[in-house]
């Protein structure tokens, strides 16, 4: 659960919103039960997945939790 929460938070708010439009497209497609094996690629056209991964990792490293 915690991992999924960081991914969703990152997709919506991280990297200055770079991934937000694609994430919203992905959620809409899945919600409408129209997803296919290509849905992720279609939601994030031209996005380097390795860069997305490294952006998420940096986002997670930057999370500060209240003590």
């Amino acid at each position: 659960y915690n991992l999924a929460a960081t991914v969703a938070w990152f997709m919506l708010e991280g990297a200055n919103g770079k991934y937000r439009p694609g994430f919203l497209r992905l959620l809409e497609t899945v919600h409408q039960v129209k997803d296919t094996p290509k849905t992720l690629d279609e939601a994030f056209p031209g996005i380097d997945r390795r860069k997305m991964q490294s952006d998420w990792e940096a986002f997670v490293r930057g999370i500060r939790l209240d003590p």
Side-chain angles (χ1 to χ4, degrees):
Y1 176 83
N2 293 336
L3 177 65
T6 66
V7 171
W9 184 16
F10 165 71
M11 290 291 185
L12 292 171
E13 303 295 333
N16 295 316
K18 177 180 180 179
Y19 302 110
R20 184 183 184 95
F23 186 60
L24 295 177
R25 280 192 299 272
L26 177 67
L27 291 177
E28 183 176 343
T29 301
V30 171
H31 177 72
Q32 294 174 354
V33 193
K34 295 181 179 179
D35 51 311
T36 70
K38 295 182 180 183
T39 298
L40 189 61
D41 290 330
E42 292 168 352
F44 298 98
I47 296 292
D48 180 340
R49 297 251 188 99
R50 283 179 284 227
K51 175 70 171 132
M52 182 188 283
Q53 173 79 26
S54 67
D55 286 348
W56 171 74
E57 290 171 0
F59 178 81
V60 170
R61 283 191 300 274
I63 295 172
R64 299 292 175 246
L65 301 175
D66 293 334

